[in-house]
Structures are given as C-alpha cells and as structure tokens.
C-alpha cells in the first residue's frame, strides 16, 4: 500500500514540476498584454473580419511561443514523462477546462468588439457594465480555479484573479490598459521563475 502511495506522490511531483519552468506564467501574461497591444494596433481597422483575423494571428503566435518553449526548452532539460491512467484522465479534464476557458475568452472578446463597433449597443452595455463586468470576472476566476485544481498549479488561482480584473477593468474603464497591467503582473513572476528554471536545470550536453 505504501508503495502505491509513494508512486502516486512521485507522479504528482513529476506532473507539478512541469509548471515550474515559468512558461505557463509567460504564456498567460503575454495573452493579456498582447490583447491590450492588439486593441491599440488593430482597433481602428474598419474591416471586422480583418480585425478579428489579426487578433487570431497574434494569439496564435503567443501559443506557438509557449509550445516551442515546452518542446525545445523544458523537455530537453526535464525529459518526457508518460503518466498513468488516472493522471491521463486528469489531463483530459484539464485540457477540456483550458479549451472551454479559451473559447469563453475568445467569445467574450468577440462580443465586446462586436458590440463596441455599434455605438448604440455599446452604450447599452455601458449602462449595465458593472453587473456585466462582475459576472464575467466571476466566471473567469471560476474557470481558472478549476484549472488550478486539476493541474495542481496553485499560481493559477492568483492568475485567475488577474485575468478577471483585466477583463472587468477593461469593461469598467472602457480601455484596454487593464489587460496590459494584469498581463505585466503575471509576466514579472513568470520571468523570474523562467530564469530560475534555466539556472537550476541546465541543458545536458
């Protein structure tokens, strides 16, 4: 019995250690930061289709950076681990939560941009923006809390609050500046963790 418990603990530590490279932190922080920058760069594009396409390209580039970091930085230093059936089920739940959260974020941003392009519709949102901002913030924090639980990733609880503040603040202030502020609050510790990871896990010859 003790052997099974030890194996589970080893597997849990191995799974958790994959979050200690700082790449998740950098990925989430960059997502918020580029949303702010993208709004400034592409917000004046008249074509809605082209504007959304540019947003999608930028978000895709951020994910590509995250994927490349895991493949070419983390895996060479830590190796590739194959987890047991229970952990694989947990990974599938995590993947589902992340997918839902990303889709929810994209839908929320598309709706905001669509409504904002219509002055009359945007005025209606601004009239009830306090309730809308609070509801969106609670939903984002809830999704991140689920992700933190299934990923054994405690920092996600805090980052969920930052994401919630970013989206809610952008609505309340009618400005993308809160995306940038919240993104920087995630990027700074992520950068520290990433540098520490590179120092503690040098790439083998």
């Amino acid at each position: 019995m003790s052997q099974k418990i030890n194996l589970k603990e080893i597997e849990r530590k191995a799974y958790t250690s994959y979050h200690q490279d700082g790449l998740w932190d950098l990925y989430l922080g960059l997502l918020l930061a580029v949303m702010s920058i993208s709004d400034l760069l592409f917000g004046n594009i008249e074509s809605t289709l082209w504007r959304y396409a540019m947003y999608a390209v930028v978000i895709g580039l951020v994910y590509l950076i995250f994927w490349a970091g895991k493949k070419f930085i983390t895996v060479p230093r830590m190796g590739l681990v194959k987890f047991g059936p229970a952990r694989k089920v947990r990974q599938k739940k995590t993947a589902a939560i992340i997918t839902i959260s990303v889709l929810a974020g994209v839908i929320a941003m598309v709706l905001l941009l669509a409504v904002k392009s219509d002055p009359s519709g945007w005025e209606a949102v601004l009239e009830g923006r306090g309730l809308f901002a609070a509801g969106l913030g609670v939903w984002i924090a809830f999704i991140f809390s689920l992700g933190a639980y299934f990923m054994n990733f405690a920092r996600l609880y805090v980052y969920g609050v930052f994401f919630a503040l970013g989206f809610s603040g952008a609505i309340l202030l009618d400005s993308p500046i809160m995306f940038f502020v919240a993104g920087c609050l995630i990027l700074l510790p992520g950068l520290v963790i990433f540098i520490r990871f590179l120092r503690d896990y040098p790439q083998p010859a």
Side-chain angles (χ1 to χ4, degrees):
M1 184 68 180
S2 61
Q3 185 180 6
K4 290 184 179 179
I5 294 175
N6 290 335
L7 288 175
K8 287 182 178 180
E9 182 64 18
I10 291 171
E11 186 180 61
R12 186 189 68 80
K13 288 182 178 180
Y15 184 74
T16 304
S17 67
Y18 266 77
H19 307 318
Q20 302 310 315
D21 54 9
L23 288 177
W24 267 110
D25 312 66
L26 296 176
Y27 170 63
L28 295 172
L30 278 175
L31 269 182
L32 283 177
V34 299
M35 286 171 67
S36 172
I37 297 171
S38 297
D39 189 72
L40 295 174
L41 293 177
F42 312 130
N44 294 326
I45 297 178
E46 294 183 2
S47 173
T48 303
L49 181 62
W50 275 107
R51 189 163 64 247
Y52 291 165
M54 295 306 295
Y55 285 131
V57 168
V58 172
I59 292 174
L61 287 175
V62 173
Y63 177 77
L64 186 62
I65 294 172
F66 169 75
W67 174 84
K70 283 290 185 182
K71 183 176 179 63
F72 298 109
I73 296 177
T74 303
V75 172
R77 285 169 168 79
M78 302 191 68
L80 190 61
V81 181
K82 291 185 177 181
F83 296 103
R87 179 60 63 179
K88 287 181 179 178
V89 171
R90 199 178 184 98
Q91 284 180 308
K92 289 180 180 178
K93 290 180 180 178
T94 301
I97 292 170
I98 293 173
T99 302
I100 292 172
S101 63
V102 170
L103 288 175
V106 171
I107 291 172
M109 190 165 184
V110 168
L111 288 176
L112 282 174
L113 291 171
V115 174
K116 196 171 182 179
S117 63
D118 179 9
S120 60
W122 183 241
E123 288 175 4
V125 170
L126 291 180
E127 289 178 0
R129 60 183 170 180
L131 183 61
F132 180 71
L136 182 61
V138 170
W139 167 252
I140 292 173
F142 173 71
I143 292 295
F144 269 79
S145 296
L146 288 178
Y149 172 76
F150 283 107
M151 293 174 69
N152 298 124
F153 190 9
R155 294 196 301 277
L156 271 187
Y157 290 110
V158 179
Y159 295 163
V161 174
F162 290 156
F163 259 75
L165 291 175
F167 275 90
S168 299
I171 295 170
L172 292 173
L173 299 177
D174 190 17
S175 170
I177 188 63
M178 283 303 297
F179 286 138
F180 187 78
V181 172
C184 288
L185 290 175
I186 301 175
L187 278 172
L188 290 176
L191 189 59
V192 172
I193 295 169
F194 179 68
I195 294 173
R196 186 185 304 161
F197 171 79
L198 295 179
R199 182 196 62 194
D200 295 341
Y201 295 91
Q203 187 167 351

